Amino acid sequence: MIADRLQERVMRLDVALQACATRLAARSDGEALHDLRVALRRLRSLLRPLRGLPGVDPLDEAAAAVGRLSTPLRDDEVLLQELESARPDRIGSRREQLEVGRDGLLTSPEWRQLCGTLILWPSLWRQAGRDGALRGLAKRILKRQARQGRRLGEALRDPTHDRHRLRLLIKRVRYGAEAYPDLVDFSGAEPELLKAAQSALGDWHDRLQWLSRAEREADLQPLVDRWREELDSTAQQADQVLLTLGEYFG
């Protein structure tokens, strides 16, 4: 039954989140925050088609709050990786500040709210099933995924498309399909095309962010010329991939 499978997936993601938090607290590796955000993304992708059903919105909102809190930390991680390879002399105190931010994430009200909501959610979901509120889940999920696909196709056909919006729509289509492999047909060229487009847009977005930070952080100024060149090249690469993706979703 799809409701039972979904509950099992949410509970597995709860375990994954707690494991990532343990790694983050222990400072055992540099991928803990990234993996925690992946688990959050998978959780929200599972929940997105179910918004409005009993117990779903509070959990989705709690996961979104932790996602928002962790986003600038992940941005700092990505910038630090860039500086380590390009200009290690510009790292300064960024590593120490990042560690403080990671520790603060796990003591935040947002994290505690998410953990508490995850504890309560299974009983609310089971009760919703007993009350008959979970009928038609498969149809609901498929309808949502089809709508996201149509929105992406329309955006790709728009000659004035916004790369930021396309990046968001690509994520929703890709992660939505990955969340429900037993329902959504996600085969052929589609997975690789979406992944390639997301990666290309991510490279462009990183440079855009770094240039914005360089306006506020004077020690990044020596990298501005390089980043501007890379911004142009990554934009061209992204647009080329989007053309191919547009043919698929056209």
Side-chain angles (χ1 to χ4, degrees), residues 54-101:
V56 169
D57 289 0
L59 181 54
D60 182 56
E61 290 164 6
V66 176
R68 287 191 297 269
L69 192 62
S70 65
T71 293
L73 297 176
R74 180 56 185 166
D75 290 342
D76 288 346
E77 278 191 344
V78 174
L79 175 60
L80 191 60
Q81 291 167 3
E82 166 72 3
L83 295 178
E84 285 175 339
S85 62
R87 290 295 297 267
D89 59 308
R90 300 288 157 173
I91 290 176
S93 62
R94 286 185 171 87
R95 196 186 309 278
E96 292 76 17
Q97 293 170 353
L98 178 58
E99 292 295 350
V100 171

Side-chain angles (χ1 to χ4, degrees), residues 11-39:
M11 294 174 73
R12 285 204 305 266
L13 287 169
D14 185 6
V15 172
L17 284 165
Q18 298 305 323
C20 290
T22 299
R23 290 162 53 202
L24 203 59
R27 301 186 180 183
S28 60
D29 64 272
E31 293 299 313
L33 179 63
H34 170 69
D35 292 348
L36 184 144
R37 285 174 55 80
V38 168

Side-chain angles (χ1 to χ4, degrees), residues 48-232:
R48 187 166 283 114
L50 310 175
R51 288 173 180 170
L53 293 176
V56 169
D57 289 0
L59 181 54
D60 182 56
E61 290 164 6
V66 176
R68 287 191 297 269
L69 192 62
S70 65
T71 293
L73 297 176
R74 180 56 185 166
D75 290 342
D76 288 346
E77 278 191 344
V78 174
L79 175 60
L80 191 60
Q81 291 167 3
E82 166 72 3
L83 295 178
E84 285 175 339
S85 62
R87 290 295 297 267
D89 59 308
R90 300 288 157 173
I91 290 176
S93 62
R94 286 185 171 87
R95 196 186 309 278
E96 292 76 17
Q97 293 170 353
L98 178 58
E99 292 295 350
V100 171
R102 287 167 173 164
D103 292 342
L105 177 67
L106 300 181
T107 59
S108 67
E110 290 88 348
W111 176 252
R112 290 195 296 270
Q113 178 68 28
L114 175 59
C115 293
T117 307
L118 279 164
I119 290 172
L120 294 174
W121 184 81
S123 61
L124 296 174
W125 188 249
R126 287 192 294 269
Q127 184 60 51
R130 289 192 290 269
D131 293 342
L134 304 183
R135 297 190 182 97
L137 284 180
K139 182 178 179 180
R140 183 188 186 109
I141 292 163
L142 289 169
K143 183 178 179 181
R144 166 77 186 200
Q145 188 67 12
R147 184 165 64 247
Q148 291 297 330
R150 288 194 299 273
R151 287 178 179 172
L152 175 57
E154 291 167 1
L156 287 166
R157 290 189 293 274
D158 183 354
T160 63
H161 65 248
D162 175 16
R163 293 191 191 98
H164 292 289
R165 181 167 182 266
L166 278 172
R167 183 166 171 255
L168 175 63
L169 291 172
I170 287 168
K171 285 182 176 181
R172 287 183 176 175
V173 171
R174 180 186 172 197
Y175 299 154
E178 290 177 351
Y180 292 98
D182 47 346
L183 288 178
V184 179
D185 181 16
F186 197 46
S187 58
E190 183 177 348
E192 289 304 315
L193 283 174
L194 288 170
K195 183 178 179 180
Q198 183 180 333
S199 177
L201 286 168
D203 289 342
W204 166 79
H205 182 261
D206 286 343
R207 274 70 186 176
L208 200 64
Q209 278 204 324
W210 298 341
L211 286 168
S212 177
R213 291 185 66 156
E215 295 176 0
R216 308 185 304 273
E217 302 173 31
D219 64 320
L220 298 178
Q221 282 296 316
L223 287 158
V224 164
D225 289 342
R226 170 184 166 177
W227 287 342
R228 281 177 179 158
E229 291 179 4
E230 292 178 351
L231 181 68
D232 291 338

